[in-house]
Structure formats: structure tokens, C-alpha cells
Amino acid sequence: MTKIIFLDAAGTLFDVRGSVGEVYGKFARSWGVTVSNEELNAAFFQSFSQSNPMAFPGKELAKIPQLEFEWWQAVCANAFQRAGVFNQFSDFPKFFAELYAHFATAEPWFVYPDVLPALNRWQQQGIELAVVSNFDSRIYAVLKALNLAEYFTSVTISTEVGAAKPQSQIFTAALQKHNCLAENVLHIGDSFKADYCGAKNAGLNAIWLNRQQEKLDLGKLDLIYFQKIEEFASLDFI
């Protein structure tokens, strides 16, 4: 019996309007730097995918926000370097500080249309809701700005735990906040590896929210996962 539902954040509850490249490109042009949104978007995802997970084990909680800022600044700088326009900025640190603050507001985000109906339905059923995410500490401001914060009794993020999904430590940390057995918890997220496999390995029930209708190479998966993958394209049917 499901007593608690853990939900991923970006890509599950909300996502970037348009694309990261569009937002970055718009800000860059306000600084007199012209770059293709498509090229910048591709450069960002290359930079992001090649970065270490955003987790800072052993670091003091008070130092986490600055470490998050520096982590994202490195990812962003690398993206603009890949796009060949980094040297056009007159003051990249100042540019990045403005961009970073922008992503703590509601403006660059949209909430998926299936989210609020699902959250309200689960609340009416008496199911407790929580966020488990590899997001940074701006998540608190973003959830509030998007009118989602009130639905969740806890938020667990990788930077504060010191471990990022799919590592089991982040799921364990979330479980400890709710005094609940893993077998009574369902985790829902859009990443097959980070969310579905991570939650399964931690002993939770899991559903892969495959919004993009990705195809898996079943031959490369462990038998435990492809015997029966719980998968939906939206929250409407969960």
C-alpha cells in the first residue's frame, strides 16, 4: 500500500520554457553576445552531462549555496566556451549571477498540465507527497513561485544530502524524514537511470515518467528492470 509518493522536480513537475539554450541566449544577447539558441542548447547539455554530479559530501550546510553557484557557473561557462562566444562577455561572473538568480523565479519555468490534477488527487486520497531531486537549493524558491510548495511535506536534494540520484543515500535520507518503510513508498521521475533504477535499488517502488517516450535498449539492462518496467507518459493514469 502506497503511503507516500516521492516526486522528482525538473522534468517531472516542471520544466524550462522553450529550452535552456533559448533562456541562455536571450540573456546573452542582453549583454551584447549573439549566439545560436540551438547551438547553445546543445553545448549546455554536453557540458551538463560531462560534469560531476551536483553533490558535495562532507561539506558544511552553510557552504552549500556557494558551492552550487560555482558548480553551475562552471557548467554555464563551459557551455558558452563550447559555443565559441565566452570571450565576448565583458563581465561573465556578473552575467552569470543575473542568469542564476533568474532560474530561482517562476519566469523560466512551466508546470506540466498533468501535475496539479495529480497532486490534488493524491492529497484527497490521503497520500503524503515529497520531493526528491538532484536540483540545488533554489528548488525551495522555485516550488513556492510555481505554487507547488504547499503540496509537499518534505524536500530532499542532492546538494544537501551529499549524494545524487541514482545513489541510494538520497532516497534513504528522504525516507528518514517520513518514518516509513521503503516498500510503502512510490518514487516517480522522468529519468530511467536516476529515478527508476535509483529508487528500485533503494528498495522503493518506482514509476518511470517517460514524458519524452524514450526507447530503451533492453539488451543492456539488468533482468530485474526489463521483466516489467512500470512506465507512463503522464501522471494522468498513475
Side-chain angles (χ1 to χ4, degrees):
M1 175 182 171
T2 298
K3 295 182 178 180
I4 302 174
I5 294 179
F6 289 170
L7 290 136
D8 174 52
T12 298
L13 298 174
F14 56 85
D15 216 332
V16 177
R17 293 183 185 275
S19 71
V20 174
E22 288 179 36
V23 180
Y24 278 28
K26 179 181 177 181
F27 265 75
R29 284 186 286 277
S30 72
W31 278 71
V33 177
T34 302
V35 60
S36 160
N37 291 344
E38 293 76 16
E39 184 178 355
L40 187 54
N41 197 59
F44 166 79
F45 281 102
Q46 288 171 358
S47 176
F48 182 84
S49 65
Q50 293 178 14
S51 298
N52 292 325
M54 190 168 44
F56 312 106
K59 299 298 183 181
E60 296 176 22
L61 200 59
K63 295 181 179 179
I64 296 301
Q66 181 61 31
L67 292 170
E68 293 170 342
F69 181 89
E70 292 170 359
W71 188 94
W72 276 112
Q73 183 169 333
V75 170
C76 183
N78 184 260
F80 280 102
Q81 287 166 351
R82 288 173 182 269
V85 296
F86 178 81
N87 291 332
Q88 294 181 28
F89 285 96
S90 58
D91 188 341
F92 185 83
K94 186 176 180 181
F95 158 78
F96 176 74
E98 293 180 2
L99 181 65
Y100 191 78
H102 180 67
F103 276 95
T105 71
E107 188 174 346
W109 306 104
F110 73 92
V111 178
Y112 285 103
D114 58 342
V115 168
L116 289 177
L119 297 181
N120 285 316
R121 181 172 70 251
W122 293 328
Q123 273 200 337
Q124 290 167 4
Q125 293 171 352
I127 297 173
E128 198 170 351
L129 304 173
V131 169
V132 180
S133 172
N134 287 350
F135 213 92
D136 55 70
S137 55
R138 289 175 297 175
I139 187 69
Y140 302 104
V142 172
L143 289 173
K144 187 174 182 179
L146 295 176
N147 298 315
L148 295 174
E150 63 188 40
Y151 288 97
F152 303 104
T153 55
S154 77
V155 175
T156 304
I157 55 175
S158 60
T159 55
E160 293 176 353
V161 173
K165 295 181 294 185
Q167 292 179 287
S168 61
Q169 295 97 312
I170 188 170
F171 295 102
T172 300
L175 286 170
Q176 290 172 346
K177 296 178 181 180
H178 293 269
N179 191 30
C180 188
L181 297 174
E183 62 196 47
N184 293 327
V185 178
L186 171 66
H187 178 73
I188 302 171
D190 67 300
S191 169
F192 178 74
K193 180 180 179 181
D195 291 302
Y196 186 81
C197 296
K200 283 283 192 178
N201 284 334
L204 283 70
N205 300 299
I207 288 177
W208 180 28
L209 186 62
N210 188 6
R211 292 194 182 279
Q212 308 304 321
Q213 292 298 282
E214 298 175 44
K215 299 298 181 182
L216 297 175
D217 185 349
L218 298 183
K220 294 183 179 180
L221 299 180
D222 292 334
L223 183 63
I224 186 175
Y225 294 130
F226 69 81
Q227 279 183 324
K228 183 183 180 183
I229 296 173
E230 295 292 338
E231 173 187 351
F232 293 92
S234 80
L235 298 175
D236 295 330
F237 307 106
I238 301 176

